[in-house]
Amino acid sequence: MNEIKIFSPATVANVACGFDVMGFCLDTVGDEMVIRKTDKKGIFITKIEGFDLPFEAELNVAGVSALAMYEAIDVDFGFEIEIYKNIKPGSGIGSSAASAVGSVFGMNEILGKPFNKTQLTQFAIKGEAIASKCEHADNLAPALFGGFTLVKSVSPLQILEIPTPDDLYATIIHPQIEIKTSEARSLLPKKIDLSDAIAQWANLGSLVHALHTSDYDLMKDSLHDVAIEPHRSKLIPLFADVKYAALSEGALGCGISGSGPSIFSICKGKDVALKVKEVIENVYSDLVIDFDMHVSKINTGGVKII
Ligand code: HSE
């Protein structure tokens, strides 16, 4: 195999109570990439469509993760990467993770799969780090593994796959403003109150239990964020109104997707997810800010060949 075309999905990180550790994978939005073997040694980004991103491999998220993997192999050829970007950088639905994952997944397929998904995440984390100025894998892991994932540890990297109940859908609103992950991180306090920490880890533990047991009521009771949302929600216009509308319409939970500005709602069934989309659209139609919306089943497969 000399060339491969892949779909690299968008993802939702944090999932309310799981800051920097939980994430899930979407299936209706993502980037496409072509990875090709070339005689010349090295990593070459030959095409970028959709957004204005650097072509120099060492400055490009997909290029940096590809270089991390390239350094770990000994081959007498190189790779060309074409990026067809649909996920806007700074959207909060894992734009950099999709790029970082796409290049290493494609290269691994061409090489005959010498690396497992955790090893691929380890390479991709180097690319993700240039976008968010820190090494976190809560978007990378669901993009590579699919479904819900929990990053138990970054060093050493340990990723747990959490079961995805059959009937779960996500509704995403992406207001067209940019929030840089590095800036959204700089807003956060270095310490939190013990009572908030207790609430947060109780919610995360019960969310994981709810996903294992398909307990939708417990999911609803767990999808709360007392640690991060209070600091970041002010960056997102009408966040409280969107959340109120989504929950009133039957969403199990609603929160900031990654570092924002996207907002996710998790719903039981597609009908609820579509109704939630409608009420959120109504909230945002009063603003002059443009927005996109996506309704997506949770994607249990992750990045794939197309
Ligand atoms: N966990 C990261 C954050 C995700 O919230 O900063 C960034 O997409």
Side-chain angles (χ1 to χ4, degrees), residues 12-35:
V12 170
N14 298 340
V15 200
C17 47
F19 178 68
D20 267 5
V21 297
M22 274 300 272
F24 66 80
C25 187
L26 299 171
D27 74 357
T28 54
V29 53
D31 295 341
E32 291 180 3
M33 293 167 78
V34 173
I35 318 295

PDB file of all heavy atoms in Angstrom, residues 12-35:
ATOM      1  N   VAL A  12     -15.182  15.346  21.508  1.00  0.00           N
ATOM      2  CA  VAL A  12     -15.555  16.236  22.621  1.00  0.00           C
ATOM      3  C   VAL A  12     -14.714  15.825  23.831  1.00  0.00           C
ATOM      4  O   VAL A  12     -14.801  14.672  24.280  1.00  0.00           O
ATOM      5  CB  VAL A  12     -17.061  16.096  22.949  1.00  0.00           C
ATOM      6  CG1 VAL A  12     -17.412  16.827  24.253  1.00  0.00           C
ATOM      7  CG2 VAL A  12     -17.900  16.636  21.790  1.00  0.00           C
ATOM      8  N   ALA A  13     -13.906  16.746  24.332  1.00  0.00           N
ATOM      9  CA  ALA A  13     -13.077  16.448  25.502  1.00  0.00           C
ATOM     10  C   ALA A  13     -13.731  17.007  26.762  1.00  0.00           C
ATOM     11  O   ALA A  13     -14.574  17.895  26.695  1.00  0.00           O
ATOM     12  CB  ALA A  13     -11.692  17.050  25.339  1.00  0.00           C
ATOM     13  N   ASN A  14     -13.323  16.460  27.885  1.00  0.00           N
ATOM     14  CA  ASN A  14     -13.744  16.850  29.241  1.00  0.00           C
ATOM     15  C   ASN A  14     -15.079  16.219  29.639  1.00  0.00           C
ATOM     16  O   ASN A  14     -15.227  15.704  30.727  1.00  0.00           O
ATOM     17  CB  ASN A  14     -13.821  18.376  29.428  1.00  0.00           C
ATOM     18  CG  ASN A  14     -12.468  19.057  29.223  1.00  0.00           C
ATOM     19  OD1 ASN A  14     -11.429  18.405  29.301  1.00  0.00           O
ATOM     20  ND2 ASN A  14     -12.475  20.346  28.942  1.00  0.00           N
ATOM     21  N   VAL A  15     -16.084  16.304  28.750  1.00  0.00           N
ATOM     22  CA  VAL A  15     -17.411  15.701  29.030  1.00  0.00           C
ATOM     23  C   VAL A  15     -17.910  16.118  30.425  1.00  0.00           C
ATOM     24  O   VAL A  15     -18.233  15.288  31.270  1.00  0.00           O
ATOM     25  CB  VAL A  15     -17.396  14.153  28.876  1.00  0.00           C
ATOM     26  CG1 VAL A  15     -18.812  13.632  28.674  1.00  0.00           C
ATOM     27  CG2 VAL A  15     -16.534  13.724  27.703  1.00  0.00           C
ATOM     28  N   ALA A  16     -17.907  17.401  30.666  1.00  0.00           N
ATOM     29  CA  ALA A  16     -18.369  18.014  31.926  1.00  0.00           C
ATOM     30  C   ALA A  16     -17.436  17.707  33.100  1.00  0.00           C
ATOM     31  O   ALA A  16     -16.561  18.512  33.423  1.00  0.00           O
ATOM     32  CB  ALA A  16     -19.824  17.662  32.238  1.00  0.00           C
ATOM     33  N   CYS A  17     -17.584  16.530  33.703  1.00  0.00           N
ATOM     34  CA  CYS A  17     -16.863  16.279  34.953  1.00  0.00           C
ATOM     35  C   CYS A  17     -15.471  15.676  34.764  1.00  0.00           C
ATOM     36  O   CYS A  17     -14.772  15.439  35.747  1.00  0.00           O
ATOM     37  CB  CYS A  17     -17.717  15.363  35.834  1.00  0.00           C
ATOM     38  SG  CYS A  17     -18.383  13.949  34.950  1.00  0.00           S
ATOM     39  N   GLY A  18     -15.037  15.444  33.522  1.00  0.00           N
ATOM     40  CA  GLY A  18     -13.765  14.726  33.314  1.00  0.00           C
ATOM     41  C   GLY A  18     -12.683  15.570  32.681  1.00  0.00           C
ATOM     42  O   GLY A  18     -12.055  15.153  31.699  1.00  0.00           O
ATOM     43  N   PHE A  19     -12.419  16.743  33.260  1.00  0.00           N
ATOM     44  CA  PHE A  19     -11.428  17.658  32.686  1.00  0.00           C
ATOM     45  C   PHE A  19     -10.089  16.956  32.435  1.00  0.00           C
ATOM     46  O   PHE A  19      -9.518  16.342  33.332  1.00  0.00           O
ATOM     47  CB  PHE A  19     -11.211  18.857  33.631  1.00  0.00           C
ATOM     48  CG  PHE A  19     -10.172  19.826  33.134  1.00  0.00           C
ATOM     49  CD1 PHE A  19     -10.393  20.591  31.998  1.00  0.00           C
ATOM     50  CD2 PHE A  19      -8.963  19.973  33.798  1.00  0.00           C
ATOM     51  CE1 PHE A  19      -9.431  21.484  31.531  1.00  0.00           C
ATOM     52  CE2 PHE A  19      -7.996  20.865  33.346  1.00  0.00           C
ATOM     53  CZ  PHE A  19      -8.232  21.617  32.207  1.00  0.00           C
ATOM     54  N   ASP A  20      -9.653  17.033  31.200  1.00  0.00           N
ATOM     55  CA  ASP A  20      -8.354  16.502  30.739  1.00  0.00           C
ATOM     56  C   ASP A  20      -8.273  14.976  30.697  1.00  0.00           C
ATOM     57  O   ASP A  20      -7.214  14.445  30.346  1.00  0.00           O
ATOM     58  CB  ASP A  20      -7.176  17.042  31.579  1.00  0.00           C
ATOM     59  CG  ASP A  20      -6.557  18.301  30.950  1.00  0.00           C
ATOM     60  OD1 ASP A  20      -7.085  18.796  29.939  1.00  0.00           O
ATOM     61  OD2 ASP A  20      -5.543  18.785  31.490  1.00  0.00           O
ATOM     62  N   VAL A  21      -9.353  14.271  31.069  1.00  0.00           N
ATOM     63  CA  VAL A  21      -9.254  12.808  31.060  1.00  0.00           C
ATOM     64  C   VAL A  21     -10.343  12.110  30.226  1.00  0.00           C
ATOM     65  O   VAL A  21     -10.075  11.091  29.599  1.00  0.00           O
ATOM     66  CB  VAL A  21      -9.223  12.213  32.500  1.00  0.00           C
ATOM     67  CG1 VAL A  21      -7.992  12.695  33.254  1.00  0.00           C
ATOM     68  CG2 VAL A  21     -10.469  12.515  33.300  1.00  0.00           C
ATOM     69  N   MET A  22     -11.572  12.656  30.206  1.00  0.00           N
ATOM     70  CA  MET A  22     -12.654  11.984  29.471  1.00  0.00           C
ATOM     71  C   MET A  22     -12.798  12.589  28.086  1.00  0.00           C
ATOM     72  O   MET A  22     -12.509  13.768  27.868  1.00  0.00           O
ATOM     73  CB  MET A  22     -14.005  12.195  30.180  1.00  0.00           C
ATOM     74  CG  MET A  22     -14.362  11.225  31.272  1.00  0.00           C
ATOM     75  SD  MET A  22     -14.465   9.513  30.750  1.00  0.00           S
ATOM     76  CE  MET A  22     -16.153   9.374  30.219  1.00  0.00           C
ATOM     77  N   GLY A  23     -13.296  11.797  27.160  1.00  0.00           N
ATOM     78  CA  GLY A  23     -13.616  12.317  25.837  1.00  0.00           C
ATOM     79  C   GLY A  23     -14.509  11.348  25.103  1.00  0.00           C
ATOM     80  O   GLY A  23     -14.614  10.173  25.485  1.00  0.00           O
ATOM     81  N   PHE A  24     -15.192  11.844  24.066  1.00  0.00           N
ATOM     82  CA  PHE A  24     -15.927  10.927  23.186  1.00  0.00           C
ATOM     83  C   PHE A  24     -15.805  11.397  21.747  1.00  0.00           C
ATOM     84  O   PHE A  24     -15.447  12.542  21.460  1.00  0.00           O
ATOM     85  CB  PHE A  24     -17.378  10.721  23.637  1.00  0.00           C
ATOM     86  CG  PHE A  24     -18.292  11.919  23.550  1.00  0.00           C
ATOM     87  CD1 PHE A  24     -18.868  12.302  22.345  1.00  0.00           C
ATOM     88  CD2 PHE A  24     -18.601  12.654  24.689  1.00  0.00           C
ATOM     89  CE1 PHE A  24     -19.724  13.398  22.277  1.00  0.00           C
ATOM     90  CE2 PHE A  24     -19.460  13.742  24.641  1.00  0.00           C
ATOM     91  CZ  PHE A  24     -20.027  14.117  23.415  1.00  0.00           C
ATOM     92  N   CYS A  25     -16.131  10.479  20.842  1.00  0.00           N
ATOM     93  CA  CYS A  25     -15.854  10.670  19.421  1.00  0.00           C
ATOM     94  C   CYS A  25     -17.148  10.942  18.649  1.00  0.00           C
ATOM     95  O   CYS A  25     -18.170  10.289  18.895  1.00  0.00           O
ATOM     96  CB  CYS A  25     -15.192   9.384  18.919  1.00  0.00           C
ATOM     97  SG  CYS A  25     -14.582   9.487  17.247  1.00  0.00           S
ATOM     98  N   LEU A  26     -17.096  11.878  17.712  1.00  0.00           N
ATOM     99  CA  LEU A  26     -18.257  12.222  16.878  1.00  0.00           C
ATOM    100  C   LEU A  26     -18.131  11.534  15.508  1.00  0.00           C
ATOM    101  O   LEU A  26     -17.031  11.182  15.087  1.00  0.00           O
ATOM    102  CB  LEU A  26     -18.322  13.738  16.675  1.00  0.00           C
ATOM    103  CG  LEU A  26     -18.483  14.566  17.952  1.00  0.00           C
ATOM    104  CD1 LEU A  26     -18.324  16.055  17.661  1.00  0.00           C
ATOM    105  CD2 LEU A  26     -19.849  14.302  18.588  1.00  0.00           C
ATOM    106  N   ASP A  27     -19.268  11.386  14.825  1.00  0.00           N
ATOM    107  CA  ASP A  27     -19.124  10.728  13.518  1.00  0.00           C
ATOM    108  C   ASP A  27     -19.596  11.546  12.324  1.00  0.00           C
ATOM    109  O   ASP A  27     -19.418  11.103  11.197  1.00  0.00           O
ATOM    110  CB  ASP A  27     -19.756   9.331  13.519  1.00  0.00           C
ATOM    111  CG  ASP A  27     -21.261   9.355  13.488  1.00  0.00           C
ATOM    112  OD1 ASP A  27     -21.835  10.462  13.517  1.00  0.00           O
ATOM    113  OD2 ASP A  27     -21.861   8.276  13.443  1.00  0.00           O
ATOM    114  N   THR A  28     -20.186  12.700  12.535  1.00  0.00           N
ATOM    115  CA  THR A  28     -20.656  13.435  11.351  1.00  0.00           C
ATOM    116  C   THR A  28     -19.735  14.588  10.987  1.00  0.00           C
ATOM    117  O   THR A  28     -19.986  15.280  10.015  1.00  0.00           O
ATOM    118  CB  THR A  28     -22.071  14.006  11.587  1.00  0.00           C
ATOM    119  OG1 THR A  28     -22.044  14.775  12.788  1.00  0.00           O
ATOM    120  CG2 THR A  28     -23.102  12.915  11.689  1.00  0.00           C
ATOM    121  N   VAL A  29     -18.714  14.798  11.751  1.00  0.00           N
ATOM    122  CA  VAL A  29     -17.803  15.898  11.426  1.00  0.00           C
ATOM    123  C   VAL A  29     -16.359  15.447  11.666  1.00  0.00           C
ATOM    124  O   VAL A  29     -16.060  14.769  12.647  1.00  0.00           O
ATOM    125  CB  VAL A  29     -18.177  17.194  12.207  1.00  0.00           C
ATOM    126  CG1 VAL A  29     -18.284  16.945  13.677  1.00  0.00           C
ATOM    127  CG2 VAL A  29     -17.196  18.313  11.942  1.00  0.00           C
ATOM    128  N   GLY A  30     -15.525  15.794  10.699  1.00  0.00           N
ATOM    129  CA  GLY A  30     -14.123  15.398  10.822  1.00  0.00           C
ATOM    130  C   GLY A  30     -13.342  15.852   9.605  1.00  0.00           C
ATOM    131  O   GLY A  30     -13.908  16.396   8.651  1.00  0.00           O
ATOM    132  N   ASP A  31     -12.029  15.645   9.657  1.00  0.00           N
ATOM    133  CA  ASP A  31     -11.150  16.013   8.539  1.00  0.00           C
ATOM    134  C   ASP A  31     -10.900  14.795   7.659  1.00  0.00           C
ATOM    135  O   ASP A  31     -11.026  13.657   8.123  1.00  0.00           O
ATOM    136  CB  ASP A  31      -9.791  16.482   9.073  1.00  0.00           C
ATOM    137  CG  ASP A  31      -9.900  17.760   9.888  1.00  0.00           C
ATOM    138  OD1 ASP A  31     -10.915  18.474   9.745  1.00  0.00           O
ATOM    139  OD2 ASP A  31      -8.955  18.033  10.647  1.00  0.00           O
ATOM    140  N   GLU A  32     -10.506  15.070   6.412  1.00  0.00           N
ATOM    141  CA  GLU A  32     -10.011  13.989   5.570  1.00  0.00           C
ATOM    142  C   GLU A  32      -8.530  14.252   5.302  1.00  0.00           C
ATOM    143  O   GLU A  32      -8.108  15.415   5.218  1.00  0.00           O
ATOM    144  CB  GLU A  32     -10.799  13.925   4.262  1.00  0.00           C
ATOM    145  CG  GLU A  32     -12.214  13.455   4.519  1.00  0.00           C
ATOM    146  CD  GLU A  32     -13.087  13.356   3.274  1.00  0.00           C
ATOM    147  OE1 GLU A  32     -12.574  13.601   2.155  1.00  0.00           O
ATOM    148  OE2 GLU A  32     -14.261  13.043   3.436  1.00  0.00           O
ATOM    149  N   MET A  33      -7.779  13.192   5.194  1.00  0.00           N
ATOM    150  CA  MET A  33      -6.349  13.343   4.921  1.00  0.00           C
ATOM    151  C   MET A  33      -5.897  12.234   3.981  1.00  0.00           C
ATOM    152  O   MET A  33      -6.449  11.132   4.009  1.00  0.00           O
ATOM    153  CB  MET A  33      -5.538  13.265   6.226  1.00  0.00           C
ATOM    154  CG  MET A  33      -5.807  14.443   7.165  1.00  0.00           C
ATOM    155  SD  MET A  33      -5.170  14.210   8.831  1.00  0.00           S
ATOM    156  CE  MET A  33      -3.446  14.547   8.609  1.00  0.00           C
ATOM    157  N   VAL A  34      -4.924  12.565   3.149  1.00  0.00           N
ATOM    158  CA  VAL A  34      -4.295  11.539   2.299  1.00  0.00           C
ATOM    159  C   VAL A  34      -2.846  11.428   2.760  1.00  0.00           C
ATOM    160  O   VAL A  34      -2.161  12.442   2.923  1.00  0.00           O
ATOM    161  CB  VAL A  34      -4.365  11.924   0.806  1.00  0.00           C
ATOM    162  CG1 VAL A  34      -3.567  10.946  -0.035  1.00  0.00           C
ATOM    163  CG2 VAL A  34      -5.816  11.982   0.340  1.00  0.00           C
ATOM    164  N   ILE A  35      -2.404  10.206   3.006  1.00  0.00           N
ATOM    165  CA  ILE A  35      -1.013   9.956   3.401  1.00  0.00           C
ATOM    166  C   ILE A  35      -0.411   9.078   2.292  1.00  0.00           C
ATOM    167  O   ILE A  35      -1.028   8.087   1.882  1.00  0.00           O
ATOM    168  CB  ILE A  35      -0.917   9.188   4.746  1.00  0.00           C
ATOM    169  CG1 ILE A  35      -1.927   9.705   5.780  1.00  0.00           C
ATOM    170  CG2 ILE A  35       0.515   9.203   5.285  1.00  0.00           C
ATOM    171  CD1 ILE A  35      -1.751  11.097   6.263  1.00  0.00           C
TER     172      ILE A  35
END
